[in-house]
Amino acid sequence: MKSYDHKKIEKKWQERWDTESAYRAEDDSSKPKDYLLIEFPYPSGDGLHVGHVRSYTAMDVIARKRRAQGRNVLYPIGWDAFGLPTENYALKTGKDPRIVTKENSDNFRRQIKSLGLSFDWSREINTTDPSYYKWTQWIFLQLYKKGLAYKAKTLINWCPKDKIGLANEEVIDGKCERCGTLVVKREKEQWMMAITKYAQRLYDDLDLVDYIERAKTQQRNWIGPSEGAEIEFAIKDSKEKIKVFTTRPDTLYGATYLVLAPEHRIIATLCASQTCTNRTEVDGYVKSALNLAEIERTIEGKEKTGVELKGVKAINPASKEEIPIYVADYVLGGYGTGAIMAVPAHDERDYAFAKKFNIPMKRVIEPIFRDSPTSPAKPDLPMEKRDAVCVIVRDPADNAYLCIQWKGDDHMHGLVTGGIEAGEDLVEAAKREVAEETGYKNLRRSRDSDFAVHSLFFHRKKMINRWARFRYVFLELENEERNLVDEKEAALHEVVWKRRDELNNFFSVIEGEFILNFIDNPDYIYTGEGILANSGEFDGLDSQDAKKKITKFVGGKIVTTFKLRDWVFSRQRYWGEPIPMIYCEKDGWVAVPEDQLPVLLPEVEKYQPTDTGESPLANIHEWVNTICPTCGGSAKRETDVMPNWAGSSWYYLRYTDPSNDKEFAAQENLKYWLTPASPSRSSKSEGGVDWYNGGMEHTVLHLLYSRFWHKFLFDQGLVPTPEPYMKRTSHGLILAEDGSKMSKSKGNTVSPDVLVENVGADALRLYEMFLGPFDQPVSWNSNGVVGMRRFLERVADLAVNDETKLEPALETLLHQTIKKVTEDIENLKLNTALSSLMILLNECEKTDSISTEVHETFLKLLAPFAPHLTHELWEQSGHDTELRLEPWPVADERKLKGTTAHIAIQINGKTRGEMEAPIDADKTVVENLAREAVAKYLEGKTVSRVIVVPNRLVNFVLTDTNS
RNA sequence: GCCGGAGUGGCGGAAUGGUAUACGCGAACGACUCAAAAUCGUUUGUCGAAAGGCGUGAGGGUUCGAGUCCCUCCUCCGGCACCA
């Protein structure tokens, strides 16, 4: 048989598995279980392409293998119909999204079944089913009852052209995804989820789970905790206070103004006060700032804008100085307290703003350099402090800098430096040092700079430890006139002029890099930590110490702030679970009673959003108008619906009990599927879906939202584990052949249907797995599929003979392959698992026929990858059992090693020969064999050392005799 | 800018600090064929006639031995970004 009939074989087996519901998992607590999950497919009307299939196939391989290992595997599939693609597709085609959803899921079901994936179809769920709506709404109500769902005014992304609110994922580069119009912010009252209350736990508990590092990092960045202090600034002649958040309370003395975000509530109050003189101007600024298109507001390098609240002053609580208050959009309303203390000397943004508005700056932090690499301080000697000056002398004639090169062993390279005498003027001291060390006498100050730097080092000439506080003076050479340098000085060092580019590698002092920074950049400001100055009683402390002390001094509070914001849960569209809330004039917001759930979407003529920005549901009066559950009076339903994330936040729970009408899932089912099979490794870290695989695009928001809901349900005692997913992996995208992303709009998709038709599902599955490392993106190459087809044909052609005896060499390889395939599948190294199967096949083909034992083992190992053909071959070789029910092969440890080892022989690490030696032979035996094999290289040489790595190599190290 | 990840033949890629390029694709040659396709066999990093050099983004280091570990740099990809 040169070619097998994949269509016939695949049809036969797919029918058999479908009718028997072959892969149904049991809620049987006596069996060890595995709960494998993949993310919903995203039905968008475009159908699956080969990129979608990769994840399903990989998890299918794992599921099949684990079933064969006797585990009860739950590998469910469902349909998330809330994806934006569905709605956009429906809008584009004018179809009812519910019909689109139905068509899509039918199509996807057909496509997925054609691949022979072993999903448990008995647990299929669809998040648009009324029964699913019901429990999503029920969970919402639990959150509402605990105060975690609340209504608040927020700014939403607003597309001025389409007149609709946009979800974050519909905004690309600040523009509306559909029409490209710049998005603006608009205030709207929306339902919110207090996810920030869980921020710390969502952050900390990442340590309990086994996610790919990338996913963890992204979660951490998104939650973005930062430690700092909240400090209150009093307002002059007012009882109002402004609370700011800062990570640098050590710079408080340098805070020369405050900035409020345009959204800040206090602006209105302050404007209304008697003293404020530019109320209208401020009003105008706030309005325009809030209306600014998002992209304009965040554009890089955008000139800072803002307006001063004239006539209103704040008091710096540390220095007691009066400082101005500004409103500026470079401060974000949603982060921290929406107000900052601006320290222009130590923050680049504040500096840029202060420069534009001519606000004075005050340096309060001086960098410190310890542990000089060339001359570190000696810990046993005392430290001597000194005020010193470091002079940057530039010769404008040839743009060169005056440098000092010390004579002697250490070759110190630096600038002119020296001590400042008591009472001496800084610039005078600088000029004096230049004159003493170099003789130049006509200099003028060229730049106003009062940088100071602390440097700790061992002074070799004076044999003392020195803590020098260098102050920097910029001088310019007026002319070349110079005096003779004192002989003693001249003996110590010489004077050299260095061009700017020569300075890069010139300085040997540790602060060299730092000096170059502010030579190059007159606007250089230091944003790091250091030693405090100009800070009253805190002068001389280091930043770390000062942070705590200054915060305490001004009555501030150490707090952790998060980047994470509360979750905007409302959507103004047709498509989504209605938020089950009713508004009554008398009773306010009232929850829909649980026995009235689910609240379903009404039939509508048009499901396009309305012009007013309200949900299309707002126009359906018979649906909106209802009765208040509390007072029985007339009331209105909430017309906002939930985001697509809602249903997908808990779907893994529903799979455990998909048709339950009494609760979202029975506790015993949750307990069985979520708690680990072997409660051993660590204490509370375990539990949740055993293995969750999905695309990288869902590792931030979806993962975060579902973790939040899960933690909430855990707190209510409704789920048994604190985390929803134990292990999370992510597949790399499959890119088009040119390396670009596959998408229908680009027309570069490759449909699995075509490949299933032409080469069969098995060959396609194999190639999906063989393409490359599972977690990395790979480019699709249609030529590669034929290799997999060839491989399968050769498998089908294997000659099997009962009489054939198992050769020892083949037996060794067989067991090595069992081990390799078993391990590689668990580690998702499916490409190398397959390659080892190919190696085994290559070896099998070298003999006339193989034994039944080899053949059967081979089929078992290949079965998870290519289920159809392997099952067929199994049946053809006379078995009346099904291959998938056969136990997984186990490698015999004793047979993993052959009788001989192939050993490399190296001379000085270079391979010079190779040989066969008995396995695990004695070192001296191997060494002697190796000596014979490379005798010609060893002749006349002295072997100083021999390294023998058992069963791998022998390395002779020769001493270098007159080579 | 910050945080991740990755740079290996013509291509996808393999390699617990131990013979770099397994496995597959492609290509060349040969066999079969009237012929082509398919299939089978051989070859396939590079320089060299050979011996032997040289080779895993660049440069250093550790080591008997480095694709792998350490330092510096370059390039590409992904995420975040006025987060105080």
Side-chain angles (χ1 to χ4, degrees), chain A residues 267-514:
Chain A
I267 296 171
T269 321
L270 295 179
C271 274
S273 74
Q274 296 287 317
T275 51
C276 182
T277 57
N278 63 339
R279 208 166 298 167
T280 5
E281 192 193 354
V282 173
D283 254 15
Y285 179 78
V286 169
K287 280 212 180 79
S288 71
L290 292 182
N291 272 328
L292 252 196
E294 179 84 340
I295 193 161
E296 284 171 27
R297 196 170 160 177
T298 57
I299 198 161
E300 207 175 328
K302 179 202 163 232
E303 179 108 346
K304 297 246 181 311
T305 62
V307 60
E308 186 181 354
L309 279 170
K310 294 212 170 105
V312 188
K313 295 280 176 199
I315 313 285
N316 182 322
S319 65
K320 310 294 181 205
E321 284 163 9
E322 282 182 19
I323 57 173
I325 303 170
Y326 285 79
V327 178
D329 65 2
Y330 81 93
V331 172
L332 306 173
Y335 182 74
T337 61
I340 61 154
M341 61 177 221
V343 185
H346 302 290
D347 183 286
E348 277 161 23
R349 295 152 301 176
D350 296 343
Y351 176 77
F353 189 83
K355 207 179 166 195
K356 182 170 172 186
F357 288 87
N358 276 319
I359 309 168
M361 60 185 245
K362 187 170 153 194
R363 280 209 182 80
V364 292
I365 303 291
E366 296 170 353
I368 178 162
F369 296 94
R370 303 170 208 269
D371 304 323
S372 151
T374 48
S375 186
K378 295 190 189 297
D380 40 326
L381 292 178
M383 186 72 75
E384 186 186 285
K385 285 200 181 189
R386 183 162 93 140
D387 270 321
V389 63
C390 179
V391 198
I392 300 164
V393 182
R394 185 169 158 271
D395 182 356
D398 56 353
N399 196 22
Y401 292 87
L402 182 61
C403 298
I404 296 290
Q405 207 163 311
W406 292 79
K407 293 172 181 169
D409 303 334
D410 47 341
H411 301 292
M412 278 264 290
H413 292 185
L415 294 164
V416 174
T417 56
I420 303 173
E421 323 257 307
E424 191 180 19
D425 175 75
L426 176 65
V427 178
E428 288 313 310
K431 287 182 177 169
R432 176 180 54 72
E433 285 293 343
V434 174
E436 279 174 18
E437 292 189 7
T438 71
Y440 291 102
K441 55 185 191 180
N442 292 322
L443 304 137
R444 65 160 180 271
R445 190 166 195 191
S446 63
R447 200 200 286 178
D448 204 28
S449 153
D450 57 351
F451 268 106
V453 165
H454 297 258
S455 184
L456 276 59
F457 58 94
F458 177 68
H459 199 302
R460 298 202 193 184
K461 295 283 181 284
K462 298 186 178 162
M463 298 298 284
I464 51 165
N465 277 332
R466 174 158 284 171
W467 176 329
R469 178 175 181 260
F470 286 112
R471 299 173 68 189
Y472 285 83
V473 175
F474 283 82
L475 298 179
E476 219 165 67
L477 194 66
E478 286 184 317
N479 57 43
E480 300 275 333
E481 204 178 319
R482 64 195 280 202
N483 294 335
L484 232 74
V485 179
D486 184 90
E487 257 178 53
K488 256 195 268 171
E489 288 274 354
L492 286 174
H493 49 68
E494 59 181 308
V495 174
V496 285
W497 287 93
K498 292 280 174 189
R499 285 192 326 273
R500 171 61 190 85
D501 56 310
E502 295 172 315
L503 284 180
N504 284 339
N505 296 312
F506 176 74
F507 291 129
S508 64
V509 290
I510 192 169
E511 62 269 27
E513 287 266 325
F514 182 80

Side-chain angles (χ1 to χ4, degrees), chain A residues 163-191:
Chain A
K163 294 186 182 164
I164 60 166
L166 299 174
N168 283 330
E169 57 273 24
E170 288 177 296
V171 181
I172 293 167
D173 293 334
K175 293 174 184 167
C176 172
E177 187 196 36
R178 285 175 237 248
C179 62
T181 314
L182 284 178
V183 168
V184 297
K185 292 285 180 188
R186 195 179 209 208
E187 200 165 62
K188 176 125 191 11
E189 193 157 79
Q190 308 220 77
W191 286 98

Side-chain angles (χ1 to χ4, degrees), chain A residues 4 58 161 241 413 416 803:
Chain A
Y4 70 96
K161 185 160 168 254
K241 283 175 187 283
H413 292 185
V416 174
E803 318 273 291

